[in-house]
Amino acid sequence: MTARHRAIAPARRRSHLRPLVCTIAAAALATVAAGGTPTTTTARFEDGATAEALVSAGPGLQMVRAATSLPVAVGIGQDGHVYQRGSVGEGALWGASTQVTTSTPVLATPAGFTWPSRPVDIAAAGPIATRATVLVLLEDGTVWAFGYGGQGLLGQGSTSNSATPVQVKFPAGTKVTALSMNSRGLSTTDGDASALALTSAGDVYAWGANRGGQLGVGTTSTTTVPTRVTFPGGARIASVAAGGSTGYAASTTGVLYAWGEGAEGKLATGNSTNALTPVAAARGQMPAGVTVEAVAAGANSGYALGSDGVVYGWGRGLNGRLGTGTTTSPTVPTRSAQPAGVTFDHLVAGGTFAFASTPAGQLYAWGWNDAGNLCLTPGTYLAPTAVPQPAGVTFTADGATGGYSAILLGSDANAWFCGQLPYPSGPTVSTLTEVARPWL
């Protein structure tokens, strides 16, 4: 799965590190030689569809926030503008009537467009192989969307595309603080994508595709405008994550909630029952007194970061993606097999693998790694394993991960890559490798 999944932790941020880590899926970036020479790559989607993307190296503007959706990458530059690059089809970005490719970062907005407030966060999803939807969170708490509008992803009450950013239609007075998007089943013709937004009041809004009930609004119907998700007892929420056919949240009191498809124990309730609205998950192996500080989502699995610094996982365990030391598929939160004495304070999950980091900035990774996407020698890793890091550079596991590769932003403000581009025929980079700017 190549969806982008964001875990948003309200606490335990390390102030001595930049707060962003960005991970880029296969088409968004490649390892390239210095000197700024563009390189064309062909990214392979899970269903066999392909799309071109151009990447380049060289000095340039640093991106302080970024997201990806095959085959485009988007980011917020240090100048506060939103940039994009890649190759997209009709009706996606740029409002083009034919396939358009840009090999260098260009402004994502039309000439003369001005953001009403400074962009502070960004998310993307690509339900169709050559089309993408981008959400931009502004400092004033509003959300703006552009690109592919199918499945109501622009939050406008319609399925129309828009090359110009349009404000997502939240109820008046809503101030959004965090975004999460997912894609399910990338395709050239159809696919699912949805979005979750967390507000300053602790509310969650959802919109987009909903075949699995992943919006948590009580139906399986597509929702084209943000719809408030109701939690048991009126719980206020501090962290959200969108999975392939599920949604997860942690309340301000540290309770774990889940909704959507329950197959393989994805809802952490101890059974495989679906839930069209949020239900409290089982505590499983979380000790008494431990609360959930952040959540993350894979394609068919979920993760929680406990107040004890331990990662707990549930759902599909194939390839060791839960980090429990086995490939079993538990239906309740199950403790990861992290090394004795190691605690984590950041967590991010991809479709089949995950990263976590310690307060000191040491990365650990586990799960599927055939493409070297864990920044470790290719192979399956059943338990959290320390990632070799360049001397003097620390990392925080935040942001999003791609299907076959990862980008992590180091404390040196540079982007570091590992994985395989294109998959499965491209070269494998199984160690953290610095990417020259501009890396987006």
Side-chain angles (χ1 to χ4, degrees):
M1 181 175 179
T2 49
R4 180 176 187 256
H5 306 286
R6 181 181 298 276
I8 301 144
R12 291 162 60 100
R13 294 263 182 204
R14 290 194 296 273
S15 59
H16 65 285
L17 293 179
R18 295 188 66 87
L20 170 71
V21 168
C22 174
T23 52
I24 300 295
L29 188 67
T31 305
V32 292
T37 302
T39 302
T40 301
T41 70
T42 300
R44 180 182 183 275
F45 291 81
E46 287 185 326
D47 60 3
T50 59
E52 278 193 348
L54 290 180
V55 296
S56 63
L61 183 70
Q62 181 185 348
M63 295 292 157
V64 298
R65 278 289 191 190
T68 185
S69 178
L70 295 173
V72 297
V74 292
I76 301 170
Q78 284 183 319
D79 59 357
H81 291 299
V82 174
Y83 293 85
Q84 62 190 18
R85 65 171 301 148
S87 180
V88 294
E90 177 181 359
L93 310 184
W94 304 289
S97 58
T98 58
Q99 187 97 351
V100 174
T101 299
T102 175
S103 60
T104 56
V106 298
L107 281 174
T109 53
F113 178 85
T114 301
W115 296 103
S117 179
R118 184 181 180 88
V120 295
D121 202 2
I122 197 163
I128 295 179
T130 58
R131 303 188 182 188
T133 305
V134 180
L135 300 180
V136 181
L137 174 61
L138 304 187
E139 195 171 36
D140 65 5
T142 62
V143 177
W144 295 67
F146 62 95
Y148 177 64
Q151 305 160 356
L153 286 171
L154 299 186
Q156 301 299 300
S158 72
T159 56
S160 300
N161 304 322
S162 180
T164 300
V166 291
Q167 186 174 351
V168 178
K169 294 182 177 180
F170 287 92
T174 301
K175 184 174 183 179
V176 175
T177 58
L179 298 169
S180 180
M181 295 191 80
N182 78 300
S183 295
R184 177 189 181 203
L186 289 171
S187 169
T188 56
T189 58
D190 190 19
D192 282 358
S194 56
L196 297 176
L198 178 63
T199 76
S200 59
D203 292 325
V204 175
Y205 285 83
W207 67 99
N210 194 29
R211 298 182 201 183
Q214 63 262 41
L215 299 185
V217 295
T219 74
T220 56
S221 300
T222 296
T223 299
T224 59
V225 294
T227 302
R228 186 170 176 268
V229 181
T230 301
F231 288 83
R236 301 292 87 187
I237 302 303
S239 174
V240 294
S245 57
T246 55
Y248 303 110
S251 74
T252 55
T253 58
V255 176
L256 174 65
Y257 293 95
W259 59 92
E261 292 184 353
E264 300 181 276
K266 288 184 288 188
L267 300 188
T269 55
N271 56 53
S272 59
T273 304
N274 299 340
L276 298 183
T277 57
V279 294
R283 292 192 56 83
Q285 294 183 0
M286 288 189 290
V290 170
T291 58
V292 176
E293 294 202 343
V295 288
N300 295 283
S301 54
Y303 306 83
L305 177 62
S307 57
D308 55 355
V310 173
V311 172
Y312 298 86
W314 59 90
R316 184 178 295 178
L318 184 67
N319 305 120
R321 68 189 69 184
L322 300 182
T324 58
T326 73
T327 59
T328 58
S329 299
T331 61
V332 296
T334 302
R335 183 187 176 100
S336 71
Q338 59 198 68
V342 171
T343 59
F344 297 130
D345 66 350
H346 284 74
L347 167 69
V348 65
T352 57
F353 58 97
F355 286 91
S357 56
T358 70
Q362 172 64 55
L363 284 173
Y364 284 75
W366 62 93
W368 183 86
N369 187 44
D370 288 1
N373 47 283
L374 297 185
C375 310
L376 297 166
T377 303
T380 295
Y381 291 80
L382 302 181
T385 302
V387 174
Q389 298 175 192
V393 181
T394 57
F395 294 84
T396 175
D398 229 352
T401 57
Y404 313 120
S405 58
I407 291 290
L408 299 166
L409 188 66
S411 57
D412 60 353
N414 288 316
W416 297 78
F417 169 87
C418 63
Q420 187 175 26
L421 291 172
Y423 179 85
S425 59
T428 294
V429 178
S430 56
T431 59
L432 282 166
T433 302
E434 186 177 349
V435 181
R437 300 175 189 170
W439 56 270
L440 181 66

